[in-house]
Amino acid sequence: MICAYVQDSALGEDDASLACQYQSIQLFTRENNLTVDVWHRGIDTEETLVRLHAGDTLLVCRFSSLGVSLKKVWRSLSVCWNKNIKIIVIQNKNIFEKNSEMHQLLEAMELVVKIETDIRSQSVRRRLQQRRREGKVLGRPFGSRNRKTKLSGREEEITSLLAQKVSKSAIAKRLGVNRMTLYGHLRRMEEQKAA
């Protein structure tokens, strides 16, 4: 199966850019006597790659279509390597298949991603240390609590469900929180009543 992937921008790709991607893929398939079986469009190739199987081919216009960051591009290539999916990048006429060259590329990209992550982490640490040296207090003061929680403003609903004899586990599930989150909220509600 040949799948053509058209990338939307997270910021909203304009129609001209999307049309250009479609046209590039159609021109490439005509010139190379290929037929696109499925078209996918999205911000990230992750959803598309889940649907592909060994022996399938993914057509993209540009290398950056594989992800919005270097790490995501590396992940996309890794998924294709593991699933034995062939990638054709039209802009550079690159073909990535499961071979030693792609394996070397993945190893190099993994190293670059680790270096980039380390640099970013060190930069954040330096900025935090600088702020501490400047006397700024970072984070929430010790022993303080958030004023607003996941269940803030839902006290009436919780009270109503308890009055209907709905179990606390069922209430937590209905509200989309963990049981312990509900128990903590109920304890705070009791503390407020007592005060």
Side-chain angles (χ1 to χ4, degrees):
M1 175 175 79
I2 297 177
C3 174
Y5 177 76
V6 177
Q7 184 188 32
D8 277 333
S9 168
L11 303 173
E13 195 79 31
D14 62 348
D15 292 339
S17 177
L18 291 172
C20 183
Q21 288 182 66
Y22 279 110
Q23 288 172 353
S24 295
I25 291 172
Q26 289 169 338
L27 179 65
F28 178 83
T29 54
R30 258 185 266 128
E31 288 174 352
N32 293 282
N33 207 20
L34 299 170
T35 305
V36 174
D37 300 306
V38 180
W39 287 85
H40 283 269
R41 180 178 160 185
I43 294 173
D44 198 339
T45 56
E46 203 169 317
E47 271 185 48
T48 303
L49 293 175
V50 168
R51 298 175 185 172
L52 298 179
H53 305 286
D56 289 348
T57 300
L58 178 65
L59 286 173
V60 294
C61 282
R62 50 191 183 244
F63 196 67
S64 61
S65 296
L66 295 173
V68 293
S69 68
L70 184 61
K71 191 172 191 173
K72 290 215 178 218
V73 170
W74 171 67
R75 281 187 188 152
S76 296
L77 286 171
S78 296
V79 168
C80 291
W81 167 267
N82 292 329
K83 291 177 84 171
N84 198 17
I85 297 168
K86 179 180 180 179
I87 303 171
I88 299 174
V89 181
I90 295 169
Q91 187 179 48
N92 304 21
K93 294 182 175 69
N94 290 331
I95 297 175
F96 298 98
E97 297 181 89
K98 189 168 186 170
N99 56 28
S100 60
E101 289 173 7
M102 186 169 174
H103 184 67
Q104 290 171 347
L105 173 66
L106 285 172
E107 287 179 341
M109 285 185 76
E110 181 179 18
L111 180 62
V112 171
V113 166
K114 284 180 182 178
I115 292 169
E116 181 185 42
T117 303
D118 288 347
I119 290 170
R120 193 174 293 132
S121 177
Q122 288 173 6
S123 174
V124 168
R125 273 194 226 113
R126 276 195 301 273
R127 281 182 281 173
L128 290 174
Q129 287 172 349
Q130 179 63 34
R131 288 194 176 187
R132 283 187 193 109
R133 280 194 295 270
E134 292 170 356
K136 294 193 176 160
V137 178
L138 303 175
R140 189 171 60 215
F142 182 75
S144 69
R145 289 186 181 159
N146 284 338
R147 300 261 187 273
K148 188 174 179 185
T149 65
K150 289 181 180 179
L151 297 175
S152 293
R154 301 184 83 176
E155 290 79 9
E156 287 181 29
E157 184 179 0
I158 294 168
T159 306
S160 170
L161 291 168
L162 287 170
Q164 296 171 28
K165 305 281 189 228
V166 177
S167 73
K168 291 176 183 171
S169 294
I171 293 171
K173 189 178 270 187
R174 189 179 290 184
L175 298 174
V177 296
N178 184 296
R179 234 173 356 110
M180 299 310 290
T181 303
L182 176 65
Y183 292 157
H185 192 73
L186 290 172
R187 189 183 73 251
R188 285 188 293 279
M189 285 172 58
E190 288 298 320
E191 288 171 0
Q192 285 177 353
K193 282 182 187 175

